[in-house]
């Protein structure tokens, strides 16, 4: 199974590996979509509470067509679509948001099945102020994976720019319980309103990734409220945190891209 070189590599648990191998050798692909959906039931963050790194939805994308094509024979278009998604992710990490969307759109043109899983495209659209398209992307994606806390939040962020915070909250996508405490608290804050400072304080002494995510989503919450100075403070704190500096997490790259797009600097 092809994984991007720019995402943390997880530990492979033998039972899960055996399951994947059985998928690839199956002769009866009638329940392929059921198998694929089961792979994406875990949110994107790399670490769960008190658990070692495991397979996450982020790590499998763009692997959907790879699994499908291993079962059905595949074609060049689907393989080229995977390559385009990888290029798009790399361009986003490098700060080329326009270029990333071009690659993601190319992937969809080559293999329309990919659109339902392209959360990366939704993030890029947000930074191009294409909020309606971004919200649509996240809504399509949540329909495929109703347990994705972060995509629910990002849909809210897009729609807050379109309709205002109150209406975005009325339209809020409810999803299943996130196993990460920091994302459960962030989700509740966006869904019902809350204090971003309390979110950051609650995880300031926790794991490095928890502090990063608390700071990132505190900043994003403030941005939805049009409080630019507070948003800048927290997102720069996320960038400058140990996790933000060292992690290969796509969201660590996003914090840096956010600062770049807003012309923010800690200097």
């Amino acid at each position: 199974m092809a994984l991007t070189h720019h995402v943390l590599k997880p530990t492979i648990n033998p039972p899960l590996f055996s399951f994947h191998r059985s998928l690839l050798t199956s002769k009866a692909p009638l329940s392929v979509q059921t198998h694929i959906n089961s792979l994406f039931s875990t949110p994107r963050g790399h670490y769960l509470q008190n658990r070692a790194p495991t397979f996450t939805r982020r790590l499998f994308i763009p692997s959907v067509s790879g699994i499908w094509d291993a079962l059905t024979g595949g074609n060049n278009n689907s393989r080229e679509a995977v390559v385009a998604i990888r290029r798009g992710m790399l361009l986003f990490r490098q700060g080329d948001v326009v270029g990333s969307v071009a690659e993601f759109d190319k992937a969809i043109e080559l293999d329309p099945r990919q659109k339902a899983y392209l959360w990366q495209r939704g993030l890029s659209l947000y930074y191009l102020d294409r909020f309606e398209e971004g919200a649509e992307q996240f809504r399509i994606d949540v329909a495929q994976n109703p347990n994705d806390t972060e995509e629910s939040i990002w849909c809210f962020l897009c729609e807050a720019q379109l309709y205002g915070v109150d209406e975005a909250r009325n339209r809020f996508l409810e999803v299943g319980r996130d196993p990460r405490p920091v994302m459960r608290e962030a989700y509740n804050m966006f869904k019902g309103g809350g204090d971003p400072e309390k979110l950051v304080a609650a995880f300031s002494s926790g794991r490095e990734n928890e502090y990063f995510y608390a700071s990132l989503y505190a900043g994003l919450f403030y941005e939805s409220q049009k409080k630019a100075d507070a948003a800048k403070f927290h997102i720069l704190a996320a960038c400058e945190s140990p996790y933000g500096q060292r992690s290969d997490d796509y969201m660590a790259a996003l914090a840096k891209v956010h600062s770049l797009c807003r012309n923010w600097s800690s200097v």
Side-chain angles (χ1 to χ4, degrees), residues 110-184:
L110 288 165
D111 183 359
R113 296 170 298 180
Q114 292 287 358
K115 185 173 183 179
Y117 305 95
L118 265 176
W119 52 267
Q120 303 97 324
R121 178 174 179 268
L123 297 176
S124 293
L125 290 169
Y126 178 85
Y127 291 106
L128 296 180
D129 295 342
R130 293 165 59 179
F131 302 118
E132 187 170 0
E133 293 171 85
E136 178 199 27
Q137 177 67 63
F138 291 122
R139 285 185 174 275
I140 291 172
D141 217 285
V142 168
Q144 293 295 323
N145 179 45
N147 295 315
D148 198 313
T149 299
E150 291 188 70
E151 288 178 18
S152 174
I153 291 173
W154 280 93
C155 183
F156 169 90
L157 290 168
C158 288
E159 293 182 343
Q161 298 296 327
L162 291 169
Y163 312 119
V165 170
D166 291 340
E167 179 59 23
R169 193 158 286 139
N170 289 335
R171 300 164 62 95
F172 199 84
L173 284 170
E174 294 194 20
V175 297
R177 185 177 187 270
D178 197 299
R180 298 167 295 171
V182 64
M183 290 313 306
R184 288 201 299 272

Side-chain angles (χ1 to χ4, degrees), residues 35-80:
H35 289 315
I36 289 174
N37 287 342
S38 72
L39 298 178
F40 305 135
S41 59
T42 306
R44 285 197 300 267
H46 291 293
Y47 297 94
L48 306 181
Q49 184 179 16
N50 299 322
R51 291 178 62 182
T54 187
F55 279 95
T56 67
R57 189 162 186 269
R58 173 181 297 161
L59 291 166
F60 282 110
I61 301 299
S63 300
V64 177
S65 64
I67 298 171
W68 183 281
D69 292 333
L71 294 169
T72 62
N75 55 60
N76 288 333
N77 280 1
S78 60
R79 287 188 288 272
E80 290 175 10

Side-chain angles (χ1 to χ4, degrees), residues 152-240:
S152 174
I153 291 173
W154 280 93
C155 183
F156 169 90
L157 290 168
C158 288
E159 293 182 343
Q161 298 296 327
L162 291 169
Y163 312 119
V165 170
D166 291 340
E167 179 59 23
R169 193 158 286 139
N170 289 335
R171 300 164 62 95
F172 199 84
L173 284 170
E174 294 194 20
V175 297
R177 185 177 187 270
D178 197 299
R180 298 167 295 171
V182 64
M183 290 313 306
R184 288 201 299 272
E185 293 301 319
Y187 173 82
N188 290 334
M189 178 182 69
F190 279 93
K191 180 183 176 183
D195 186 350
E197 301 303 325
K198 290 183 179 179
L199 175 68
V200 174
F203 295 96
S204 61
S205 300
R207 295 188 180 95
E208 290 180 353
N209 66 299
E210 290 180 322
Y211 174 71
F212 167 83
Y213 273 93
S215 297
L216 174 64
Y217 281 103
L220 290 168
F221 184 91
Y222 278 126
E223 181 161 283
S224 74
Q225 307 285 324
K226 310 296 185 185
K227 297 180 179 179
D229 289 343
K232 176 180 178 179
F233 176 83
H234 286 289
I235 291 178
L236 285 179
C239 289
E240 295 164 3

Side-chain angles (χ1 to χ4, degrees), residues 6-41:
H6 305 285
V7 182
L8 284 174
K9 295 182 179 179
T11 300
I12 299 178
N13 297 317
L16 189 56
F17 177 76
S18 298
F19 171 67
H20 293 165
R21 182 169 54 193
S22 67
L23 269 179
L24 296 176
T25 57
S26 173
K27 294 182 180 179
L30 296 177
S31 58
V32 170
Q33 193 60 55
T34 300
H35 289 315
I36 289 174
N37 287 342
S38 72
L39 298 178
F40 305 135
S41 59

